[in-house]
Amino acid sequence: MKKGFRMMTALMAVCVTSAAVLTACSTKSNEPAKPSAGGAAQEAKPGSNLPPAELAMAFFTTSSQTQGIAAVQEELSKLTKAKINATVKLVPVSYGSYLQQMNLMQASGEKLDLFVSGLGQYSTQVAQGRLMPLDDLLNKYGSNIKKYVDAPFLDAARINGKLYSIPGIRDLASDRGIAMRKDLIDKYKIDVSKIKTFDDLDAVFKTIKDNEPGVTPLVSYQANSNPADTMLGTKFDNLDDGLGVMALDDSSLKVMNLYDNKFYTDTLNTVRRWYTAGYIPKDAAVTKDNANDLIKAGRAFSYFTTMKPGYAQQASRAAGKEIVTVSFSDPNIVTLNLTRFNWAISNNSKEPERAMMFLDLMYSDKDIINLLAWGIEGKDYVKKSDNMIDYPEGVTASTVQYGLNQGWLFGNQFLSYVFSPDPADLWQQMDKFNKGAIKSKALGFTPDMTSLKTESVAVMNVVNQYKNGLHTGTLDPQSVLPEFNKKLKDAGIDKIIAEKQKQLDEWAKTKKQ
Amino acid sequence: MGKTTKYGQWALHALFLLISAAALLPFLLLVSSSITDEQEIIKSGYSLFPSQISFAAYDYLMKDAEAILRSYGISVAVTVIGTIASLLMISLFAYPISRKDMPFRNGLSFYVFFTMLFNGGLVPTYYVYTQILDLKNTIWALIIPILLLNGFYVLLARTFFATSIPVPVIESAYIDGAGEFRIFFRIVMPLSLPILATIGLFQVIHYWNDWFNALIFVTDSKLFSLQYLLNKILLDIQFLSSSEMGGNQAEMIAALPKESVRMAMAVIGVIPILVSYPFFQKYFVKGLTVGAVKG
């Protein structure tokens, strides 16, 4: 009896520990999509003398309409099978879990060849050795990438002289300006062509404030994009985090303290003037409302923002009211524009050559680009003219199966169709815009602040404490700015600036060689 | 009844009324915001009695009904299967180590205790569940990792079994010829309803509220749980409204009733817990007092 019990209880304990494993092994409710067999019977192409391969390609999605991805994957694999004898497995991951998933997939050695790097983590990922250096691969298999991506843009993705990712061809530059409601501009006969500088806006704001009760003249674009941010963006390259910046027109590569600068004080004074005159809402520093919603509800007149070709049409649709824009600066490009969403090859990829060949197609093959950008013709879109497309009969933005709308993510957007009602020459405009933009002299420099982590956190905390208050005019710069600067110095901003300057000088030296 | 006690009674009533109001009002505000017109929220903020009632948020969710209903189903299935499975696991582990005549009981208890304090971290966890057990993108990925066996509940149940199940009952069952499994399922489990209900309720809430497993182990949208879907929709809206989108996308975002959708999803998410709570309530009270009452 006693012995029987012992056996029994021991068995129970074993059950517990093994049950988890057993249930785990039982069934798998969902098999991963099999690589399509289609396209195997294609005629002989240059790719067919390569051994077959499968590429896993991860990217993020921000839409719930991802049902169409499986069909796109199948079509895509048919094309790539013929061209480089490889199938492509698309691994879409929700934006919210994307960085975490990439960390885990790479750390656990899951199959991953191509993925989108960036999202503020580019330099970290390079430092952790998770991205494959691409120079050799690019020279061998990336002739189209070299042809389509302008050399300075490609070089901007270099870290310590080595290339780890390929920037997309999309809206890389941006200019800063104001977006205003056209109905009110017309109503008060405001001459938009007379608005040249930020100071010309006082009169406009006054007209709105005096005549339109309930309409705020100027609101923040959204919670963390205040009027002063846009104004400062016309002058400075933030050098990654804004702690230590460089003037865009400065060729001597001098890192300086933004918060201790005359232009900064002037900007804050302007914003403060608007705030005290009642042109900016009283709760601007804390509100979470965004400009589009406020304009749609008829509560706001204008907002400052970063712009690009076609912006006014786009903003009009987003706000449900016609919008006119005035730009206050030439377009400019800083490093962050170029390292935001870049294609990288994972360091544990077993097929780096094939991955580069596929990347090369993503920058040059119109069929593949459009497949990834817009889905399948006839199902997800129909052609209206040579390069204009629209939804098919009965399909809308909220019912389309392949609703990613991320053409800017997949390589060369300028080879993709233009979706109506955007202007037909949108990509030509954009290309001109990019090429004509002022390039920061520090383009391609990404600082590594890990050695000053404590200081960075402390300084960031101080900035977060004051920024919204000062940048919306809620706090009086006269009394608060000295206090702000003292706290920044106490927290160690000078050390950060000195370190950044050192790194920037070293970077400049390597760049000349 | 004396006058002072009467006043005291009133004061207590008033206090508890206030406390209930503090608990109820935010929820009512949530419900009423979910049926407020989106423009109204932007114009005049949230209010308990909206002047413009609109079911646009629910309409919007109905458009996405397939995804939401599926995630609802996933969440319900995961909660039911997960709670039953974990109750079984927990009691099957806790009961043996509560018996004084079980070999290695201290070692096994320590094993539970140790895992409460230390674990391998996220990457090894992910590695084991995806590469060795191959659970990624299966429904088991929402049930087994992290949630199935909670060390704290094992110790809680062990204490209950050790203190509230009299050894003579087990011995007399032996004498009547019952085997270990019969004793466990026919005598010990029915006697332990309070602790099972208590742990069960906690597990229901854990499983219902869980979004982390979906974040880590699931990329297939067919398997998103409700809470993760809610989380994802919020993050997507955040991303979309912070970036400049071309053409069609801009229109879609403009039409989105953002605030009220959030509220409506929270309302939908909380209903099952509201419904299930009363059924657990009586065990819950009993279960929590266990350990304080001896004999």
Side-chain angles (χ1 to χ4, degrees):
Chain A
M1 166 89 118
K2 188 92 182 178
K3 202 177 169 197
F5 167 72
R6 274 170 180 245
M7 287 288 286
M8 218 54 193
T9 37
L11 205 102
M12 277 191 193
V14 172
C15 272
V16 173
T17 37
S18 58
V21 181
L22 288 175
T23 39
C25 296
S26 57
T27 50
K28 201 164 184 279
S29 72
N30 196 345
E31 290 288 313
K34 296 229 159 54
S36 80
Q42 299 273 349
E43 67 270 51
K45 285 261 170 73
S48 53
N49 48 17
L50 291 160
E54 193 196 33
L55 298 170
M57 163 173 159
F59 56 92
F60 58 84
T61 64
T62 56
S63 158
S64 59
Q65 287 150 264
T66 52
Q67 306 91 308
I69 288 180
V72 167
Q73 170 175 300
E74 201 167 308
E75 284 297 311
L76 181 66
S77 288
K78 274 184 205 162
L79 293 174
T80 51
K81 189 91 198 159
K83 290 195 158 101
I84 54 172
N85 200 22
T87 54
V88 178
K89 186 182 161 221
L90 300 178
V91 185
V93 178
S94 301
Y95 178 72
S97 56
Y98 182 75
L99 281 175
Q100 184 114 31
Q101 278 285 340
M102 288 306 108
N103 280 339
L104 290 170
M105 282 178 82
Q106 292 195 306
S108 70
E110 220 169 308
K111 180 170 170 56
L112 181 67
D113 298 294
L114 284 158
F115 73 107
V116 180
S117 173
L119 292 89
Q121 295 291 309
Y122 179 48
S123 51
T124 316
Q125 289 175 341
V126 171
Q128 290 171 346
R130 287 164 43 189
L131 310 185
M132 196 170 275
L134 298 180
D135 284 295
D136 295 343
L137 289 168
L138 187 70
N139 287 333
K140 265 191 219 152
Y141 307 109
S143 56
N144 284 311
I145 294 177
K146 282 186 41 211
K147 188 171 116 200
Y148 283 105
V149 184
D150 289 348
F153 296 158
L154 201 56
D155 287 340
R158 286 181 187 279
I159 287 189
N160 296 330
K162 280 192 190 148
L163 189 68
Y164 291 92
S165 74
I166 316 280
I169 301 179
R170 55 185 156 90
D171 49 339
L172 293 168
S174 51
D175 60 340
R176 269 86 179 162
I178 185 170
M180 299 173 284
R181 273 168 62 181
K182 188 161 186 297
D183 55 337
L184 295 181
I185 296 268
D186 291 346
K187 189 170 168 191
Y188 297 105
K189 305 203 166 46
I190 296 165
D191 187 356
V192 177
S193 64
K194 289 243 171 66
I195 305 172
K196 301 269 188 240
T197 67
F198 288 108
D199 288 323
D200 296 333
L201 287 169
D202 288 70
V204 179
F205 291 161
K206 189 168 177 357
T207 315
I208 302 296
K209 169 87 186 151
D210 292 348
N211 298 303
E212 289 283 325
V215 177
T216 312
L218 178 68
V219 293
S220 299
Y221 179 61
Q222 55 173 29
N224 274 317
S225 170
N226 299 312
D229 296 345
T230 308
M231 298 163 79
L232 296 167
T234 61
K235 266 262 189 296
F236 298 104
D237 179 346
N238 264 342
L239 299 179
D240 203 39
D241 55 6
L243 308 176
V245 300
M246 196 193 81
L248 280 168
D249 53 11
D250 179 12
S251 53
S252 63
L253 296 178
K254 185 168 168 14
V255 183
M256 58 187 173
N257 185 351
L258 169 70
Y259 308 105
D260 202 5
N261 179 287
K262 183 168 176 310
F263 185 78
Y264 185 70
T265 319
D266 291 346
T267 304
L268 292 192
N269 284 335
T270 309
V271 178
R272 176 69 182 170
R273 188 173 76 226
W274 291 338
Y275 182 83
T276 44
Y279 302 155
I280 292 175
K282 289 276 168 262
D283 62 352
V286 290
T287 181
K288 294 255 182 286
D289 291 340
N290 75 47
N292 282 331
D293 290 341
L294 290 169
I295 287 187
K296 199 159 56 154
R299 275 186 61 199
F301 165 69
S302 71
Y303 57 92
F304 286 172
T305 185
T306 53
M307 308 193 301
K308 61 186 177 189
Y311 184 80
Q313 295 91 313
Q314 187 179 305
S316 307
R317 284 199 294 275
K321 284 195 167 68
E322 202 173 338
I323 298 289
V324 286
T325 58
V326 176
S327 174
F328 293 113
S329 75
D330 294 325
N332 61 51
I333 303 189
V334 300
T335 311
L336 266 186
N337 296 73
L338 287 160
T339 54
R340 195 165 285 150
F341 309 113
N342 289 4
W343 284 101
I345 296 178
S346 172
N347 210 9
N348 56 13
S349 167
K350 302 266 186 303
E351 303 279 353
E353 285 99 7
R354 212 68 64 86
M356 180 53 86
M357 286 180 210
F358 177 69
L359 263 185
D360 200 48
L361 290 176
M362 246 170 45
Y363 283 79
S364 59
D365 187 305
K366 223 174 145 141
D367 295 337
I368 286 178
I369 291 167
N370 276 308
L371 197 55
L372 286 165
W374 300 119
I376 294 167
E377 187 174 353
K379 184 168 146 241
D380 299 307
Y381 67 85
V382 287
K383 272 172 114 167
K384 284 173 71 187
S385 70
D386 248 5
N387 75 331
M388 292 290 288
I389 55 167
D390 204 343
Y391 290 123
E393 200 61 36
V395 177
T396 66
S398 47
T399 60
V400 64
Q401 296 250 300
Y402 187 79
L404 293 191
N405 280 302
Q406 286 176 168
W408 43 270
L409 188 63
F410 298 107
N412 189 347
Q413 191 183 21
F414 294 175
L415 290 183
S416 73
Y417 298 128
V418 175
F419 207 98
S420 134
D422 280 331
D425 64 341
L426 183 66
W427 303 140
Q428 285 89 316
Q429 285 183 40
M430 202 76 87
D431 193 28
K432 222 173 115 195
F433 181 73
N434 282 345
K435 287 191 171 130
I438 296 170
K439 296 181 187 68
S440 164
K441 297 287 179 302
L443 192 66
F445 168 66
T446 308
D448 174 15
M449 285 294 138
T450 38
S451 60
L452 292 175
K453 216 164 194 169
T454 329
E455 283 83 358
S456 293
V457 172
V459 172
M460 260 313 170
N461 283 340
V462 178
V463 171
N464 289 337
Q465 187 188 343
Y466 286 92
K467 194 184 135 188
N468 273 0
L470 284 168
H471 287 202
T472 55
T474 316
L475 298 173
D476 183 5
Q478 286 246 272
S479 56
V480 178
L481 196 52
E483 177 191 320
F484 179 34
N485 269 314
K486 184 174 179 305
K487 280 203 184 172
L488 283 174
K489 289 217 172 3
D490 291 347
I493 195 169
D494 292 332
K495 252 171 128 177
I496 293 176
I497 290 170
E499 172 68 22
K500 231 182 211 180
Q501 183 74 66
K502 199 182 99 202
Q503 292 187 13
L504 186 59
D505 292 341
E506 277 163 23
W507 171 83
K509 265 185 248 157
T510 61
K511 214 189 159 208
K512 277 200 194 93
Q513 283 160 10
Chain B
M1 193 189 279
K3 239 192 177 141
T4 35
T5 37
K6 206 172 174 188
Y7 285 132
Q9 196 85 15
W10 276 111
L12 265 182
H13 279 311
L15 183 68
F16 279 113
L17 274 177
L18 276 178
I19 293 174
S20 341
L24 268 178
L25 278 178
F27 183 70
L28 288 180
L29 192 63
L30 180 79
V31 174
S32 69
S33 322
S34 76
I35 54 168
T36 308
D37 185 52
E38 178 75 9
Q39 299 293 315
E40 186 69 21
I41 295 182
I42 295 166
K43 273 197 190 110
S44 38
Y46 305 109
S47 103
L48 262 186
F49 305 100
S51 53
Q52 288 273 9
I53 289 187
S54 142
F55 292 93
Y58 291 94
D59 276 348
Y60 174 77
L61 293 184
M62 282 311 291
K63 249 198 303 185
D64 229 357
E66 207 195 320
I68 288 173
L69 279 179
R70 187 192 287 119
S71 69
Y72 218 91
I74 294 278
S75 271
V76 169
V78 163
T79 306
V80 171
I81 299 172
T83 306
I84 294 172
S86 72
L87 277 180
L88 203 65
M89 289 282 152
I90 288 169
S91 48
L92 275 174
F93 198 167
Y95 174 64
I97 59 174
S98 78
R99 293 277 297 265
K100 296 236 167 16
D101 42 359
M102 157 86 180
F104 312 120
R105 64 190 285 262
N106 286 332
L108 285 168
S109 300
F110 178 76
Y111 178 68
V112 177
F113 177 66
F114 188 79
T115 57
M116 277 169 66
L117 299 179
F118 303 100
N119 64 62
L122 192 54
V123 171
T125 307
Y126 181 85
Y127 182 81
V128 168
Y129 283 117
T130 59
Q131 307 298 100
I132 298 178
L133 301 179
D134 203 15
L135 286 186
K136 194 171 185 181
N137 283 331
T138 67
I139 188 129
W140 300 109
L142 300 175
I143 295 176
I144 294 171
I146 305 165
L147 296 166
L148 188 67
L149 199 67
N150 181 318
F152 178 70
Y153 295 151
V154 172
L155 296 185
L156 205 70
R158 184 195 64 168
T159 312
F160 184 92
F161 291 137
T163 55
S164 304
I165 309 290
V167 181
V169 172
I170 297 173
E171 281 173 353
S172 60
Y174 266 133
I175 292 163
D176 291 342
E180 284 297 340
F181 276 109
R182 181 178 284 251
I183 292 173
F184 178 72
F185 284 110
R186 302 299 291 275
I187 296 176
V188 175
M189 289 293 262
L191 280 174
S192 311
L193 272 184
I195 191 72
L196 293 179
T198 307
I199 294 174
L201 177 67
F202 282 135
Q203 286 293 46
V204 165
I205 295 175
H206 285 322
Y207 274 111
W208 185 258
N209 283 346
D210 179 63
W211 54 270
F212 189 71
N213 278 354
L215 175 88
I216 301 297
F217 296 111
V218 172
T219 55
D220 179 357
S221 60
K222 287 197 178 68
L223 286 169
F224 286 166
S225 63
L226 185 67
Q227 309 299 342
Y228 178 68
L229 188 74
L230 174 64
N231 190 6
K232 177 180 127 56
I233 289 178
L234 292 188
L235 286 166
D236 286 353
I237 289 180
Q238 238 170 53
F239 176 84
L240 292 175
S241 59
S242 73
S243 50
E244 305 289 350
M245 293 286 158
N248 41 6
Q249 190 82 346
E251 239 160 311
M252 217 168 74
I253 301 160
L256 215 64
K258 301 175 192 88
E259 290 296 323
S260 44
V261 162
R262 246 187 253 199
M263 304 299 160
M265 291 216 62
V267 170
I268 291 176
V270 82
I271 288 171
I273 295 293
L274 278 184
V275 172
S276 64
Y277 197 83
F279 295 104
F280 286 99
Q281 178 71 8
K282 63 175 178 180
Y283 297 109
F284 195 46
V285 173
K286 233 174 164 180
L288 281 189
T289 57
V290 159
V293 186
K294 300 275 180 205

